[in-house]
Amino acid sequence: MTTEVSVTVNGETYHVPDVEPRLLLSDFLRDLLGLTGTHVGCEHGVCGACTVLVNGDSVRSCLMLAVQANGAEIITVEGLGSPEELNVLQTEFREHHGLQCGFCTPGMLMTGEDLLRKYPLATDEDIREGLSGNLCRCTGYQNIVAAIRSAAVKRTEKAS
Amino acid sequence: MSSDRRANPSDVLRPRNVGAPIKRTEDPRLLTGNGEYTADRKPDRPLHLAFLRSGQPHARIERIDTSAALGAPGVIAVLTADDIADDFKPVIPFSRMPNYHATPIVPLASRKVRYVGEPVVAIVATSRYLAEDALELIEVDYEPLGAISRAELAIADGAPLLHEEAGTNVLLAREFKKGDVGADLKAAAVRVGGRFEMTRKAPLAMEPRSYAAEYEKRRDAITLYTSSNIPGIVRDAVSESLGLPGHRLRVVAPDVGGSFGSKGSLYPEELLICIAARKLRRSVKWTADRLEDVSSSSQAFAEIVNAEMGFDANGIATSLQADVIGDVGAFSIYPWTCGLEPVQVVSFLPGPYKIGSYRGVVRGVATCKPPTGPYRGVGRPISTFVTERLMDLGAAALGVDPLEIRRRNLVRAEEFPYRIASGIIWDKTGFTECLDAAAEAVGYGQLRKLQAEARKQGRLFGIGIASYAELTGIGSRIAVAPGMPINTGSETAKITIDSTGAITAAFGVASHGQGLETTLAQIVADDLGARFEDVRVIQGDSDEVPMSTGTYASRSAVLGGGAAKHASKILQEKIKRVASHLLEANADDIEVTEGRAIVLGTDRAVTFKQIAKAVYSDMKTLPVEAREELTATYTYDPINGTTAAATHIAAVEVDPATCFVRILKFVVAEDCGRIINPMIVDGQVHGGVAQGIGAALLEELIYDEDGQLLTASLVDYMIPSAPEVPLMDVVHIESESAVAGGFRGMGEGGTIGAPAAIANAIADALSPLGIGVSILPMTPERIFKLMEQAKGREDE
């Protein structure tokens, strides 16, 4: 039994026929849509590398089935900015050396986007708490926190 | 001794890129989802592998029935050891070490299994989902042979033998000796000691191991994309095993999502995927899931150290003796052997200290667990833990401050080069400078006052210091692993300016997060006289240089960087020669900078593009003999390598109710010589310390008595997340080093110092209760038990 899944990803609409109900959203994005920016680190919802935004909320794409995303609007790391034109958060990650191997980075960025959009992030502890569902093994988090802090400041400046 | 002179004055004055916090070249692609990790490869209609792994710790394989699996939807092939017996030669992790038994590495378990997670059957199917479905249909009958779950059990009388050919479970035994330890201990004013243990740990890179064997039918060739930090070693080993020459086997490490050692050995799956691709004449992909990665990638530590240190009345450490038993798992790993980790513990136990006499014995013992292998710091996290605990125990026994006892025992500036009691030679490094700088940065005196106040309030507040030294950038005189026949002493750089004037610098080293594309380009830009943004660095590709062993053992900045400097210099001389023709000036009067050759003191200049055109495309401008190809290759060998050192200081508070340890302050003062990119160096320290925090407080692979892994998910195997890692302060001491460029390796250090510093801080915090720290990680459960025991003692 298969079904068609229609989704909008990064502003582009896809109608994908013959999707198995058991197919993970992460595999759907990577293998069927070719969007390999979303990384799979644990497949049990702990590491956060596969985080994407589904209808504006951060979601672990390894814990969601593709069929559940039918009709949804999804943003992946590919939807944030391009190598030539990084968005604010991506720019701050680069400025503050918030990434090393880059594997957890797409998940960090998507969680970071979600945090920046929804929360005031008054203290660095708030940022660390917000990131507690995303594991990084390279950076010790210090520069990721600094990057999100800086992006938060830039967003506030822009808004005022 | 070394093939290099010290950096000459003009090198010091001119650099523009080396030393600057240049933004990484890697970042734009990695930040936008445009990186390419092995699992992102999209070969034509790839097949997918899934492995049936042993659920038995030690058993004879009686029967394997794959017939039902073969008929399952999407299944192309089912492979057992028998099916591939003629397709490869076992890979032997050879070593010249005496008292060592090599154990052959094979792609699939043959006749018996030796740990839970060992691959037994491989299924090749049209999708990963279908391959995993078919695993359920395979039947294997096992005859249990008895689990060996702990090292002590492996050496007990009557223990079952894991490798019958070896005739023993002790796969290696060694002894290091200097002076008369027995006499010195007897004469010591104070003797301290104990049984210390660091439990088994997972390196746990965020990217699980992943391989893609891309098959080229027209010439029976394979390109193996692998999440490896040793693509050159993998190429040579697979080539030998499969009888496939290097020009038909290319091994590429594309973007690699961390390793920390777990991707730094040859794996059975790498052999199997190449065998399958060749057999089926199709491209094949495999990516481990997290369970597979945790339970089959090389693991770390798992050592018990019984050690004793003697001090004279002045607090000078006179003698050290240690008995190390390493639980090395079921196999000796390629190429490093099972000696890598435990032998290194014994080699480094005297640390940065002038201890007079030493005796260290080590045994590596086979158990029913995955092999231990390289992990960030290799041996030194434990040797540092033990020695630094002994220093603190000695300080307490003598009533000397922990800072002071280290100051009395560290090798001092005027004493380098210094050969420590285990035979390692430290070159000039800022040991005492790091100690002083860390103490100053942390505000040691003030911190002790804070501690006194906290103690008055009954709070469990502790301060811990750890100093260590490590060998980095090791050259050909010392084998990275004991007795290993592979040349780990050199690396090659090949720099080319092509006919368009573009600069490409190719290396065999293989970055997996260190940012080598950036740092090597910084070096090339300065030494060639190019603009940073014009240098493209290629690395991690076995086709680019004839031989390379990759990135490990904190060697790439030293060896890759050294090769880059030399090759740049040779190419710059060629550029000057061509420019002297074009500008009609003496080559000595030409300076090369920013991608142009300029006659000193004039505005006469030619660009690299013009030079390339004159050499390659223009038949008239230059005489034939002056048209030298604009390329330079240099293989650099630092012969001995160089030392790196640091002091870590941690302040912690233990919550007596929850037994959680909170790290209040963490300072690192480190000496990695001349810094190529301070931003990257700080990042490496931060990440290393975070892993050290994991080792000190959280991370433990727990195997039960039946050899079953109880902590195989990221819920049960906890690595530090953002709230557990404190803000870190990093101070740099830049001592001069004799290797090219003055660089010292530094990627591992954070993980070496942090566990010891935190252990000492916890011991200090708990000292009012009479509790010591002798095992890591100090989980809340362990602290709770120790506190309960202490209460029990009080009640008696």
Side-chain angles (χ1 to χ4, degrees), chain B residues 49-122:
Chain B
L49 265 179
F51 290 94
L52 180 73
R53 293 173 183 275
S54 170
Q56 293 281 329
H58 187 201
R60 192 174 304 111
I61 300 170
E62 298 283 332
R63 184 185 70 99
I64 302 178
D65 184 350
T66 59
S67 51
L70 204 47
V75 170
I76 303 291
V78 181
L79 302 173
T80 65
D82 288 345
D83 298 319
I84 58 169
D86 299 330
D87 298 322
F88 72 98
K89 282 189 298 190
V91 179
I92 313 293
F94 179 80
S95 166
R96 288 182 285 266
M97 255 187 310
N99 307 313
Y100 162 71
H101 302 281
T103 58
I105 292 165
V106 294
L108 294 169
S110 173
R111 295 193 298 281
K112 72 183 230 174
V113 292
R114 295 177 177 87
Y115 67 91
V116 173
E118 187 176 353
V120 180
V121 184

Side-chain angles (χ1 to χ4, degrees), chain B residues 145 163 219 471 490 547 755:
Chain B
L145 295 169
H163 296 274
R219 57 186 199 102
L471 283 180
S490 64
M547 186 273 184

